Amino acid sequence: SVAAAPAESEFEAGAALPIGTPAGHPESERRETESGPVVHFRPDVSGTYVVELDASDGTHELTVRTFPDERRDARFSIAADDLPLSESDRDSTPVSVSGPFNNHLLATDRPRRVGDDYVLDARLPPGEHTASFAVNDDLAEGVRTTVEVDGPGRPRVRLDATVDGDEVAVTATPTSAPDSAYPSGDLPVEFHLDGRDDLGDDDVTVDGRELRTSLDSLPERARIHAVTAGERRSIGDTVRLEATGSGAVSVTRPNDPPEWAESPTVYEIFVRSFAGETLPTTFREIERRVEYLESLEVDCLWLTPVLASPTTHGYHITDYFDTADDLGSREAFESLVDRCHEADIKVVFDLVVNHTSRDHPAFQLHSAGVDAYADHFRRVDAERNVVDVEWASLREGGDDIPEYYFNWQRIPNLNYDSLAVRSWMLDVVDEWADVVDGFRCDVAWGVSHAFWKEVRDRVPEDFLLLDETIPRDADYHEGEFHMHYDTTLYETLRDVGTGEKPADAVLDALDDAAWAGFPDSAVHLRYVENHDESRYVDECDEPSLRAAAAATFTVPGAPMIYYGQERGVSEQRGPMRWHDGDADLTAFHRALASLRAETPTLREGRVAAVEYEVTATDGDADAVTAYAREDERGRYVVVLNFAAGSASVSLNESVQSTDLISGAAVADGDELTVDDAVVLRA
């Protein structure tokens, strides 16, 4: 197979192997790796390497294409006075820095004092990065800060294939990042053949951005990969060619989402709160309410964990092969899935495989020193400060302790360098992949890229993989996930709702996906709240919630409603308000979902800027924005007002007077009256 990685960084090569001479380098420059069931290969220069595995069934090769390190020197800094530390405690109280750059591991990176500041130097790729300075290694006592690293966005590449006479032509189309000085026309393209297929270099010809192979040379299946690199590298794209007989060839693009998942309306249920205040939630109680989901035009139901767990939220798994007793039997769960399918609703299952509960038998056997479980969990140096005394007791005089992210002491990280763990978790994937229609993968950023690629190869063709990667990262789209949290739009909608950013920032947030290197086919989950975040109305207010929700339903991607968002639930994971919910807010969400379902342009059309002017407002003119969705079927103008009170808005184009959300006339000549959101046909 083929993989790409930056030089001077770790690349996980696969199983235990003797390393051959890297391509293009003399014998004296052979790289060394540590021994073990999974090898971490660390190239020191960019180039192409071939890694070989001698196994009982023969020799296997892995081609690794490495690129120059894109990271640059950066510095996180925070004033000592901004931390909850008295001056007398600053020399004796430990402070750690955690963020995505170190997988949120506390007590591993210590800042140093520079004058009146605490600083931490790091190497980071271009873009905005966030870190928390945690006093006493306690995130509750932490203060967030950001640093902006200068540099361009990432280029992108797309592969397409067609049959041309007695040949198959594979064409690569590279595109520069929006802010890059490197023209798309100058971007080079590299093609790589997949080593698992019987298509060799002698079977293809490459001319610039086109690869050709004869139908006679084409094996039953061939996967062709491509990558481009200008100032930075792209993620790879892939086409799969399958000979179907009589010269016919099936062409698929594995990185594209299943057709049903290109723009679905998603509804997330925090499972044990959905039945409301009176009844305990069970699979049966959720099944009884599927008709309600139908009324919201829901295409995809995301359920938070339903497997055995001692916690209300369910993310501490104690048995991966059985459902939680309080929710019901596996048969009851499958009945719920069947009922959803009858309503044309797909079901996404929350897959939690970064960690287990401390109460899982595997962890208890690991902690008890049972040899068969010795490698099942990651461990870290015991010298790191451990605030949780109970967790520290697990050291039992040893030199290391179980690893965990953030302050999640009760969910130790699984060790994906263990083949036993990989086999175990792939069994979990196999157990449920034929029951549900997709996985929302919890803490996807904590699990090996190589493992996610294995998952992608195992699940059915029409199966959805949604990653929780915060912030979103295009590398997880390369042969791994189809759908990604849109962390950029989420944060922007919060900032607009609180008045920290103007509403025009919504369009800037949409442009960020291309800058980050995501292909156009990547699906972004557009949300205003979820089970890990506070309710939007708690930080902002209902008028801004309506505008924010309308934004998620009128931009490309997959809009998501977090249960109760549409009913006015104010508690993050509080009981669903069935009896006393906000009926008007529910009707508003229902109208948004119906309009999107009935209007293909709102799902598939291009986003276009619109000239507008706020001529009068009861609130802030900066709380208003406008944009259009357009394609050959029509043009629709969306105007959002995040402020309380009406705004009068003048558009520099002609639109029909009826708001397609409410059905009311909102235009009087050139002037529109916008309370929260309107959608008008041009």
Side-chain angles (χ1 to χ4, degrees), residues 36-59:
V38 173
V39 167
H40 293 270
F41 174 50
R42 299 175 178 84
D44 57 356
V45 295
S46 60
T48 301
Y49 298 80
V50 177
V51 180
E52 289 186 350
L53 165 67
D54 288 336
S56 58
D57 62 345
T59 300

Side-chain angles (χ1 to χ4, degrees), residues 263-306:
S263 186
T265 294
V266 181
Y267 192 92
E268 181 196 357
I269 289 178
F270 184 77
V271 172
R272 289 176 174 82
S273 295
F274 191 61
E277 294 180 321
T278 306
L279 296 171
T281 300
T282 61
F283 298 132
R284 174 61 182 150
E285 291 302 324
I286 298 174
E287 183 176 337
R288 289 175 55 211
R289 292 161 174 80
V290 169
E291 190 171 349
Y292 172 74
L293 302 181
E294 289 183 274
S295 78
L296 289 170
E297 304 279 354
V298 170
D299 302 303
C300 176
L301 174 62
W302 160 20
L303 297 166
T304 56
V306 298

Side-chain angles (χ1 to χ4, degrees), residues 13-265:
L17 47 99
I19 298 298
T21 304
H25 290 276
E27 180 71 15
S28 61
E29 291 189 25
R30 181 177 304 217
R31 307 299 187 267
E32 297 297 331
T33 69
E34 72 274 24
S35 62
V38 173
V39 167
H40 293 270
F41 174 50
R42 299 175 178 84
D44 57 356
V45 295
S46 60
T48 301
Y49 298 80
V50 177
V51 180
E52 289 186 350
L53 165 67
D54 288 336
S56 58
D57 62 345
T59 300
H60 304 269
E61 289 187 349
L62 176 71
T63 300
V64 182
R65 174 65 169 100
T66 70
F67 292 87
D69 192 347
E70 300 174 348
R71 297 173 300 171
R72 307 178 181 199
D73 292 336
R75 172 173 290 185
F76 292 107
S77 178
I78 196 164
D81 288 343
D82 291 339
L83 294 176
L85 273 174
S86 65
E87 202 162 328
S88 60
D89 290 336
R90 291 174 185 173
D91 292 331
S92 59
T93 303
V95 176
S96 61
V97 184
S98 74
F101 65 95
N102 66 4
N103 279 345
H104 303 283
L105 291 171
L106 287 169
T108 55
D109 287 320
R110 300 287 186 192
R112 57 192 177 87
R113 294 285 296 278
V114 177
D116 293 329
D117 296 334
Y118 283 90
V119 303
L120 179 76
D121 294 321
R123 286 182 57 76
L124 302 168
E128 185 177 85
H129 301 270
T130 301
S132 291
F133 283 66
V135 176
N136 273 322
D137 301 329
D138 181 1
L139 286 174
E141 295 291 309
V143 178
R144 292 181 64 188
T145 186
T146 60
V147 63
E148 185 77 30
V149 179
D150 291 336
R154 300 177 69 173
R156 299 178 290 164
V157 67
R158 177 186 170 92
L159 282 183
D160 293 284
T162 57
V163 175
D164 183 11
D166 61 356
E167 293 185 319
V168 177
V170 179
T171 304
T173 305
T175 306
S176 293
D179 61 344
S180 174
Y182 209 107
S184 295
D186 293 342
L187 284 170
V189 170
E190 297 179 11
F191 290 97
H192 294 276
L193 305 181
D194 198 302
R196 296 169 293 182
D197 305 326
D198 293 326
L199 187 70
D201 291 337
D202 294 339
D203 298 319
V204 303
T205 59
V206 175
D207 182 8
R209 298 177 177 182
E210 184 179 74
L211 177 148
R212 284 181 173 264
T213 185
S214 69
L215 293 177
D216 291 340
S217 299
L218 191 66
E220 183 177 343
R221 179 181 65 180
R223 286 157 288 192
I224 298 169
H225 312 274
V227 65
T228 185
E231 297 151 297
R232 300 178 66 187
R233 74 169 178 92
S234 73
I235 64 168
D237 197 21
T238 301
V239 291
R240 183 173 60 223
L241 311 176
E242 295 183 275
T244 57
S246 303
V249 177
S250 169
V251 178
T252 54
R253 291 177 30 81
N255 283 333
D256 287 356
E259 185 177 356
W260 69 264
E262 291 175 353
S263 186
T265 294

Side-chain angles (χ1 to χ4, degrees), residues 42 94 159 170 184 192 210 328-329 435 453 469 475 495 648 669 682:
R42 299 175 178 84
L159 282 183
V170 179
S184 295
H192 294 276
E210 184 179 74
S329 66
V435 176
K453 285 175 168 58
T469 303
D475 285 336
D495 288 343
S648 295

Side-chain angles (χ1 to χ4, degrees), residues 311-324:
T311 60
T312 300
H313 53 71
Y315 286 94
H316 297 192
I317 305 296
T318 53
D319 186 344
Y320 285 96
F321 298 95
D322 200 5
T323 54

Side-chain angles (χ1 to χ4, degrees), residues 380-530:
V380 293
D381 189 341
E383 290 303 313
R384 73 181 256 186
N385 186 62
V386 183
V387 177
D388 188 287
V389 175
E390 182 183 1
W391 192 253
S393 68
L394 295 175
R395 288 172 53 178
E396 296 181 350
D399 294 328
D400 56 12
I401 59 170
E403 180 189 86
Y404 57 88
Y405 297 135
F406 300 103
N407 56 352
W408 298 344
Q409 294 97 335
R410 294 188 172 274
I411 42 176
N413 293 333
L414 285 162
N415 175 26
Y416 279 86
D417 279 4
S418 164
L419 296 185
V421 167
R422 290 187 181 221
S423 178
W424 174 23
M425 289 302 145
L426 289 172
D427 285 345
V428 174
V429 169
D430 292 343
E431 181 76 16
W432 298 103
D434 291 331
V435 176
V436 294
D437 306 290
F439 294 142
R440 178 268 184 187
C441 297
D442 185 60
V443 195
W445 50 266
V447 176
S448 155
H449 280 287
F451 178 77
W452 291 131
K453 285 175 168 58
E454 285 194 79
V455 171
R456 180 69 170 274
D457 281 345
R458 294 174 81 93
V459 297
E461 285 287 324
D462 62 346
F463 199 85
L464 173 67
L465 292 176
L466 161 63
D467 67 347
E468 182 200 23
T469 303
I470 301 175
R472 62 182 175 180
D473 183 345
D475 285 336
Y476 288 86
H477 194 79
E478 187 179 83
E480 299 176 31
F481 294 91
H482 311 97
M483 186 182 290
H484 314 271
Y485 273 41
D486 186 352
T487 53
T488 305
L489 182 64
Y490 163 78
E491 291 170 355
T492 298
L493 292 174
R494 289 285 172 127
D495 288 343
V496 174
T498 57
E500 296 177 44
K501 284 185 178 179
D504 285 345
V506 169
L507 285 185
D508 296 334
L510 296 183
D511 292 339
D512 180 73
W515 186 92
F518 284 97
D520 290 338
S521 60
V523 182
H524 299 276
L525 186 70
R526 316 291 196 184
Y527 61 101
V528 300
E529 57 192 36
N530 61 37

